[in-house]
Amino acid sequence: MARPKEFIAEEALDAAIGVFREHGYEGTSAEMLVRTLGIGRQSLYDTFGDKWQLYLAAVQRYAARETEAHLSALASERRAVDGLRVMVERVVDDAAEACLGVNSICEFGTGKPELAAIRDSAGRALTRAIVGRIREAQAEGDVAADIDPSSATEFLHASFAGIRVAARGGAGQRRLRALGQLALRALT
Amino acid sequence: MARPKEFIAEEALDAAIGVFREHGYEGTSAEMLVRTLGIGRQSLYDTFGDKWQLYLAAVQRYAARETEAHLSALASERRAVDGLRVMVERVVDDAAEACLGVNSICEFGTGKPELAAIRDSAGRALTRAIVGRIREAQAEGDVAADIDPSSATEFLHASFAGIRVAARGGAGQRRLRALGQLALRALT
DNA sequence: GTCATTCTTGACTGATCGTTCCAAATCCGC
DNA sequence: GCGGATTTGGAACGATCAGTCAAGAATGAC
């Protein structure tokens, strides 16, 4: 062993998430990263490779965190439809900060397979969980039986994106809350 | 008078819309613009000022076109709810190409007053029209009476953003169509 | 304490960024 | 055809970009 790092990679990654979610990939310069992460240029490149790899790592970490938050909200209530509602409300409450997922989709679309892979693998577990919860809610009579659980899940996903874009465009909490309620209403 | 321009500003602007909607502002270089618009560097700067002003002009033109398309879809059917449905279907059908509005919101958020001004002034007329059509649909019994027309309008707006983000993320037509149907379902 | 190893710092690289300058080309009114 | 006006294309600008290099600072193993 030799001299240890003076920073923690995970914390630096969190800081990187903060920059990228606000300014996007192209809008973020190496200078900004160095300043915000609080580490030296060379440390940054030694630890994360290059800007693109750092971006991928940030998106990955963000996706994992976001997925976990969704799952925990989903499972927080006994009644399935309440879990769905809590999940939506969390999205509304956290919408003030830009979503790195939506941001990366808008910026790169389907053009970057590595990004798509991250989103897919993160989304798979979440999708399964939401589909399951919707089926439960249908069995409990809280979600209309004629709705395809898969479509409903994608609809919730899309609604999250819509809510986050609205927030990014300046919509306040009250309006976002109404959006969440209407999204849930589509399932009844 | 003297030598006339060899290009039409509006056509160049349309080409600029095509580049910006795909690559965003930061992701678009002057080089790309010159190549895609098919005009010289100097002509570009003489005609549009600088990159930022060109971007604003492109967003403005795009917003006007999009607003008009929405309005015409809205008014295309006698029954209000059918107009709403046609509007949603058009969004779905055109979602393959990235939306410059969503893109600019995601890239800049509320940070650029000039952008917000463009979106506001373009959105105002559209919002009014949608609210009116929703009220009609409520009177005709096609939209639930307990829904606030303003909230419903914002919900449709957000759903459009959601559909477009989904499309940008690679969702196919069939899935997008399901998203549109569920969005309309929220209003019933 | 010494050595080998690793991390940090700041100057530096070539490339590309948005933008401007300038000379040549092109047109209209006369 | 001529002169004034304007567009055009290409070279060039300083600034900034992402990324690298080299030298010094700090550590653990012995």
Side-chain angles (χ1 to χ4, degrees), chain B residues 66-82:
Chain B
E66 197 64 24
T67 298
E68 197 188 280
H70 276 136
L71 290 177
S72 115
L74 259 188
S76 68
E77 304 281 332
R78 238 191 59 247
R79 207 175 175 87
V81 72
D82 290 330

Side-chain angles (χ1 to χ4, degrees), chain B residues 167-184:
Chain B
R168 182 102 171 123
Q173 284 290 109
R174 216 180 57 239
R175 275 190 256 182
L176 299 181
R177 207 164 286 279
L179 295 182
Q181 282 168 4
L182 278 168
L184 285 173

Side-chain angles (χ1 to χ4, degrees), chain B:
Chain B
M1 288 290 254
R3 180 177 180 180
K5 284 187 197 292
E6 291 183 359
F7 63 96
I8 303 169
E10 280 76 17
E11 290 181 2
L13 213 46
D14 286 339
I17 289 175
V19 188
F20 282 132
R21 78 195 298 179
E22 186 58 35
H23 301 98
Y25 177 76
E26 292 287 355
T28 299
S29 68
E31 165 84 20
M32 290 167 68
L33 287 168
V34 166
R35 194 160 4 100
T36 309
L37 306 211
I39 69 178
R41 242 184 181 67
Q42 191 62 34
S43 304
L44 192 157
Y45 279 87
D46 281 348
T47 308
F48 299 107
D50 59 14
K51 188 186 166 189
W52 179 247
Q53 287 179 277
L54 172 57
Y55 183 71
L56 290 179
V59 172
Q60 176 116 47
R61 184 170 169 83
Y62 178 83
R65 280 205 322 217
E66 197 64 24
T67 298
E68 197 188 280
H70 276 136
L71 290 177
S72 115
L74 259 188
S76 68
E77 304 281 332
R78 238 191 59 247
R79 207 175 175 87
V81 72
D82 290 330
L84 292 169
R85 189 178 36 76
V86 170
M87 174 176 67
V88 170
E89 284 168 358
R90 190 203 68 91
V91 169
V92 167
D93 289 342
D94 290 6
E97 281 181 302
C99 171
L100 184 54
V102 169
N103 209 311
S104 80
I105 290 179
C106 286
E107 189 164 2
F108 297 107
T110 53
K112 306 282 174 178
E114 309 141 280
L115 270 181
I118 293 175
R119 283 196 296 263
D120 283 0
S121 76
R124 213 182 312 273
L126 179 56
T127 296
R128 241 198 319 267
I130 299 180
V131 167
R133 222 54 177 131
I134 286 176
R135 273 197 236 277
E136 281 183 62
Q138 285 177 321
E140 291 166 344
D142 293 320
V143 162
D146 66 323
I147 292 181
D148 171 44
S150 248
S151 296
T153 298
E154 282 166 14
F155 173 73
L156 285 180
H157 259 133
S159 295
F160 293 167
I163 288 170
R164 282 158 167 172
V165 171
R168 182 102 171 123
Q173 284 290 109
R174 216 180 57 239
R175 275 190 256 182
L176 299 181
R177 207 164 286 279
L179 295 182
Q181 282 168 4
L182 278 168
L184 285 173
R185 185 181 175 122
L187 305 185
T188 62

Side-chain angles (χ1 to χ4, degrees), chain A residues 107-150:
Chain A
E107 189 165 1
F108 297 108
T110 54
K112 306 281 175 180
E114 311 141 278
L115 269 181
I118 293 175
R119 284 196 295 262
D120 283 0
S121 76
R124 212 182 313 273
L126 179 56
T127 297
R128 241 197 319 268
I130 299 180
V131 167
R133 224 50 180 134
I134 287 177
R135 273 197 236 277
E136 282 183 61
Q138 285 178 321
E140 291 166 345
D142 293 320
V143 163
D146 66 322
I147 291 182
D148 172 43
S150 248

Side-chain angles (χ1 to χ4, degrees), chain A residues 1-4 28-30 41-42 45 50-51:
Chain A
M1 287 291 252
R3 180 175 179 180
T28 299
S29 69
R41 237 186 185 67
Q42 191 62 32
Y45 279 90
D50 60 13
K51 187 186 168 189

